[in-house]
Amino acid sequence: MEPGGLEWLLVPMQQLVSWGAAGAMVFGGVVPYIPQYRDIRRTQNADGFSSYVCLVLLVANILRILFWFGRRFESPLLWQSIIMIITMLLMLKLCTEVRVSNELNVKRRSFAAADSKDEEIKAPPKRSYLDFDLNYFWHWSKFTDYVQCVLTFTGVTGYITYLWLDSSLFVETLGFLAVFTEAMLGVPQLYRNYQNRSTEGMSIKMVLMWTSGDTFKTVYFILNQAPFQFSICGLLQVFVDMAILLQVYLYSHYPQKPVSHTAHPASTKAL
């Protein structure tokens, strides 16, 4: 058979593989959170999942979208960011509802100035318009507070990007910050596991999917000649994933002494 005789088959196959890879990039990133989401809903306990993972991904993907306006990379990567932002907001909504329902007699905390009904009547604390107390940042009691924070961050960074969009140095730095922040995705979970001396409550399937997905993503970046920031930080992300898997092995085979709640009162907080 002549080489040209297979062209009618090879071209559609190549196109199909290309579409499949693009689809995997767009939706593959959210798959690891499905088992964690289901576990939290089933157990009504979010202690094993660090909501700072959501914070990292929200910041990273907002910055990546802004980077796209300065340097038009592939559309699947843009759509991946949009889908991931929606997914992280859904995760935050569930975790917030579960945590608040499990807490009794706890003062409500909010991002914006709280209503009087949410504060103690006798001696309301002195607070500024925004609650930037590091002890309570990203530990708010309502999902709307997280949305307000995300919108505020998007508005501020979007305005700065608009002013400096003509600067190639700013655009490249923005791209690096976007992918470097995403590369730090596993660090909050890594630290939470270290604090608890355990990986109990964390979905092992989620981490395994993180590792396989990040490996695929890094190879995709390299083969498609994505901006160099993507490839470098992809490799870093795989390294962090492997560190979490090492924790899973160590804490399961060599159980650590439980940490007392008195010494570490914040260790059981999920948000």
Side-chain angles (χ1 to χ4, degrees):
M1 183 178 293
E2 297 181 359
L6 293 177
E7 185 176 350
W8 66 274
L9 179 61
L10 292 178
V11 173
M13 287 296 294
Q14 291 175 348
Q15 188 66 47
L16 185 62
V17 170
S18 177
W19 287 346
M25 282 300 301
V26 173
F27 297 102
V30 305
V31 172
Y33 300 96
I34 296 176
Q36 183 71 72
Y37 186 92
R38 295 179 62 183
D39 286 346
I40 293 174
R41 288 202 64 175
R42 177 177 55 83
T43 63
Q44 289 297 295
N45 188 338
D47 287 351
F49 177 73
S50 173
S51 67
Y52 285 107
V53 169
C54 299
L55 174 61
V56 169
L57 279 176
L58 286 169
V59 171
N61 285 282
I62 290 170
L63 293 180
R64 185 195 286 186
I65 291 174
L66 295 177
F67 178 49
W68 182 83
F69 287 99
R71 185 172 178 181
R72 302 298 175 90
F73 48 80
E74 288 192 329
S75 296
L77 298 179
L78 176 64
W79 281 106
Q80 180 198 43
S81 293
I82 296 173
I83 297 298
M84 184 61 74
I85 289 173
I86 296 173
T87 302
M88 289 302 100
L89 290 175
L90 290 175
M91 285 292 296
L92 274 176
K93 186 175 186 297
L94 175 64
C95 290
T96 305
E97 291 173 351
V98 168
R99 181 177 62 85
V100 172
S101 66
N102 290 337
E103 290 182 341
L104 298 176
N105 300 322
V106 176
K107 184 190 299 182
R108 295 298 186 242
R109 296 288 176 177
S110 61
F111 172 70
D115 297 333
S116 58
K117 64 182 180 180
D118 290 332
E119 301 291 350
E120 293 180 351
I121 298 176
K122 294 182 180 179
K126 295 180 180 180
R127 302 177 59 201
S128 59
Y129 177 69
L130 298 182
D131 183 1
F132 285 119
D133 186 341
L134 292 180
N135 293 323
Y136 299 104
F137 179 78
W138 212 249
H139 292 288
W140 302 309
S141 306
K142 294 182 180 179
F143 173 66
T144 52
D145 291 303
Y146 293 93
V147 174
Q148 290 174 12
C149 181
V150 170
L151 291 177
T152 300
F153 175 79
T154 303
V156 172
T157 53
Y159 180 68
I160 295 174
T161 301
Y162 174 76
L163 294 178
W164 291 86
L165 199 58
D166 294 333
S167 171
S168 59
L169 177 61
F170 174 83
V171 171
E172 293 300 324
T173 301
L174 183 65
F176 175 77
L177 289 176
V179 291
F180 180 75
T181 303
E182 185 175 358
M184 294 295 100
L185 165 64
V187 173
Q189 191 66 56
L190 189 73
Y191 181 66
R192 170 172 289 279
N193 295 342
Y194 172 76
Q195 276 188 318
N196 295 340
R197 300 295 194 274
S198 170
T199 56
E200 184 179 357
M202 182 194 72
S203 173
I204 308 301
K205 292 180 181 178
M206 178 185 73
V207 181
L208 289 173
M209 290 180 183
W210 273 359
T211 307
S212 59
D214 292 338
T215 302
F216 169 80
K217 183 171 60 178
T218 302
V219 173
Y220 181 91
F221 290 156
I222 296 174
L223 294 180
N224 287 274
Q225 298 180 340
F228 75 96
Q229 301 101 319
F230 286 71
S231 301
I232 294 175
C233 293
L235 291 172
L236 179 58
Q237 198 166 355
V238 173
F239 175 78
V240 175
D241 295 340
M242 296 299 293
I244 296 178
L245 289 176
L246 180 61
Q247 282 184 324
V248 173
Y249 173 80
L250 291 177
Y251 293 147
S252 60
H253 288 76
Y254 306 97
Q256 304 293 305
K257 183 178 180 180
V259 180
S260 65
H261 295 291
T262 303
H264 299 278
S267 64
T268 58
K269 289 185 178 294
L271 291 174

